[in-house]
Amino acid sequence: MKILFIGARLFDDIALYTKNKNITSILTESNSDSKNLKLADVSYIVPRGMEGPKEIALKEDVDAVVPLIGIDKPLVEIAKLKEDLENNYGLPVVASPLEAVITAQDKLKTKEFFIENKIKTPDFSKISKGFKPELPVVLKKPEGQGGNGIKIALTDSDLEINIDNFECAIAEKFVEGIEVSIEVLRWNGKTVPLVPVNKGKTTFEGIHPLDKLKTVPLNMKNVDNENIRSIAQKIANLLGSEGVIDIDIILDKDGVAHFIEINTRPSGTRYLTSASTNISPMHELVDMATGKWNYKDVETRIKKYCALEIPIGDYNTENNNHQFREFNSDNCWVIHGPDKFQRITIRAEDIQKAYEVAEKLNIDYKKFN
């Protein structure tokens, strides 16, 4: 079996898995300095865009293509490549189709999708001259991720200063509560929602979840985790997503779920998902490509561990490499992320034991509470 992987940045998440499965890995990347290039059996440096990966896919006569893209901008191009390779060459590409990507990337289209399908989402309005929303309000440009293109206006002055930069944008009601993400696997019309992840409280400062302490499971009064999973499954089915998607939610003080965004790409919470469920979304993408993915098998393999993730900056250990990226026991931990932005994800039988592991590793988690 030979698979083309597009993008080296996330390849270390699956390098060991492909090797253990005797899969020949072909990797394309536009950055010649990527340290993950050496992890693949064969690697190619190509220009930005999808022409290079397409050329290599056909040249190498691969059996499938798996884009490993963690940012939004290239996703439309990937969806167009998917259409081309699947329709004209019969080559499966494990990624969401074009219509799903366009709906997810455009925040206004996402809002319209939620409303059309009666999925609860915060009230919003299109920004127009002279509009006066109820404050605080979240200003969102049509595209952007990781906090880019978003501004929280707390006062009339905030609104006045920022409004000119948000032409053709939306103003969304600020919901005070808990940020949540859930990853959903979908392939060949079969869907498996995984686990809701607690990413911490919403903040007026718009602190990115990567800079917060995150936990699984989502233990909140009046919150039904299975209901969240059910709605996430409904969203993936209606969207027609493929591969893996990540859905962002805010739970208000009454435990009501407000659905915010959809990301048709691997999630930043994938290690928490893997630690808590024993299902690695990245590994599942490989299984989809090989034709061995079975949703019933995934459902039977789902475990219910607790997990804790803490930003640690830099942690002096040899364990931050692809050889140590598996959760292989009941109480274990994984270091991941680039230099200066490392995180530790801890699996444990209960959340208190996860905190105890952090203490034994001399990791200060209390500053995030």
Side-chain angles (χ1 to χ4, degrees):
M1 187 75 182
K2 188 187 292 187
I3 299 177
L4 172 70
F5 297 95
I6 302 175
R9 190 172 69 85
L10 304 183
F11 185 71
D12 54 347
D13 283 1
I14 60 172
L16 186 61
Y17 189 72
T18 57
K19 191 173 292 295
N20 290 339
K21 293 288 184 178
N22 294 317
I23 295 168
T24 299
S25 56
I26 312 296
L27 181 62
T28 62
E29 170 59 47
S30 61
N31 178 12
S32 60
D33 293 327
S34 174
K35 64 181 181 181
N36 290 335
L37 290 170
K38 63 182 181 294
L39 301 181
D41 293 310
V42 181
S43 63
Y44 291 89
I45 300 300
V46 297
R48 291 185 183 276
M50 293 300 120
E51 284 303 315
K54 175 184 175 180
E55 180 183 336
I56 300 304
L58 299 178
K59 172 186 173 182
E60 289 282 353
D61 192 24
V62 299
D63 298 292
V65 176
V66 179
L68 300 177
I69 305 297
I71 57 176
D72 290 341
K73 192 172 181 180
L75 296 181
V76 169
E77 287 186 78
I78 287 169
K80 291 178 180 178
L81 176 68
K82 175 184 176 73
E83 282 189 353
D84 183 11
L85 291 180
E86 291 187 345
N87 294 338
N88 298 319
Y89 300 91
L91 188 58
V93 178
V94 185
S96 283
L98 184 59
E99 185 176 352
V101 171
I102 290 173
T103 298
Q105 273 203 348
D106 187 310
K107 292 179 173 58
L108 179 57
K109 290 183 183 296
T110 305
K111 282 289 192 181
E112 292 169 344
F113 170 84
F114 287 149
I115 292 168
E116 179 183 348
N117 292 293
K118 297 180 173 56
I119 295 164
K120 190 171 184 59
T121 189
D123 293 339
F124 77 103
S125 61
K126 296 180 183 179
I127 294 177
S128 58
K129 186 176 180 180
F131 92 119
K132 292 289 184 182
E134 180 182 346
L135 300 174
V137 69
V138 184
L139 306 178
K140 291 186 173 183
K141 293 183 178 179
E143 296 182 1
Q145 73 177 83
N148 292 325
I150 293 177
K151 174 66 179 179
I152 300 174
L154 304 177
T155 64
D156 289 335
S157 177
D158 282 343
L159 191 61
E160 185 177 345
I161 291 170
N162 289 283
I163 197 66
D164 288 342
N165 294 324
F166 283 84
E167 187 179 355
C168 301
I170 63 173
E172 180 181 84
K173 180 181 178 181
F174 178 84
V175 179
E176 187 175 359
I178 301 296
E179 293 186 73
V180 172
S181 279
I182 180 169
E183 292 172 87
V184 185
L185 302 169
R186 191 170 187 272
W187 190 243
N188 291 334
K190 302 298 183 182
T191 310
V192 182
L194 294 172
V195 62
V197 173
N198 184 336
K199 301 193 295 185
K201 295 179 181 179
T202 57
T203 64
F204 290 136
E205 296 79 16
I207 298 173
H208 193 280
L210 292 179
D211 297 321
K212 297 180 183 179
L213 184 149
K214 297 183 283 295
T215 59
V216 181
L218 182 64
N219 289 325
M220 291 181 60
K221 188 178 180 180
N222 302 325
V223 174
D224 183 349
N225 283 259
E226 289 306 308
N227 183 55
I228 292 175
R229 293 182 72 238
S230 177
I231 299 173
Q233 182 173 9
K234 173 184 175 181
I235 289 171
N237 287 338
L238 290 169
L239 191 68
S241 65
E242 294 189 333
V244 63
I245 64 170
D246 165 68
I247 301 171
D248 292 336
I249 308 158
I250 295 178
L251 298 176
D252 67 22
K253 61 183 179 180
D254 297 317
V256 177
H258 302 256
F259 287 77
I260 305 295
E261 294 183 7
I262 307 168
N263 304 295
T264 53
R265 52 173 169 75
S267 171
T269 63
R270 60 190 180 276
Y271 281 95
L272 281 157
T273 297
S274 181
S276 58
T277 65
N278 212 39
I279 304 295
S280 166
M282 302 297 280
H283 294 176
E284 298 304 311
L285 296 179
V286 176
D287 289 348
M288 291 173 187
T290 62
K292 296 181 179 179
W293 192 78
N294 184 297
Y295 78 103
K296 290 184 178 179
D297 172 67
V298 176
E299 289 173 342
T300 59
R301 288 189 285 116
I302 292 177
K303 304 296 184 183
K304 292 186 178 180
Y305 289 101
C306 291
L308 168 67
E309 187 166 288
I310 309 168
I312 53 175
D314 278 323
Y315 191 82
N316 188 19
T317 177
E318 294 295 321
N319 288 20
N320 183 21
N321 68 67
H322 76 289
Q323 296 178 347
F324 299 92
R325 296 285 172 81
E326 293 187 350
F327 296 95
N328 50 19
S329 63
D330 286 353
N331 294 284
C332 57
W333 49 273
V334 166
I335 300 284
H336 52 98
D339 294 345
K340 299 182 181 179
F341 297 96
Q342 292 178 354
R343 288 168 282 157
I344 184 169
T345 304
I346 301 168
R347 168 197 279 180
E349 298 167 21
D350 59 61
I351 201 65
Q352 183 55 43
K353 287 184 178 178
Y355 283 113
E356 290 173 3
V357 170
E359 290 175 351
K360 288 178 182 178
L361 294 171
N362 295 316
I363 294 172
D364 181 11
Y365 61 84
K366 295 181 180 178
K367 64 182 178 181
F368 296 101
N369 292 340

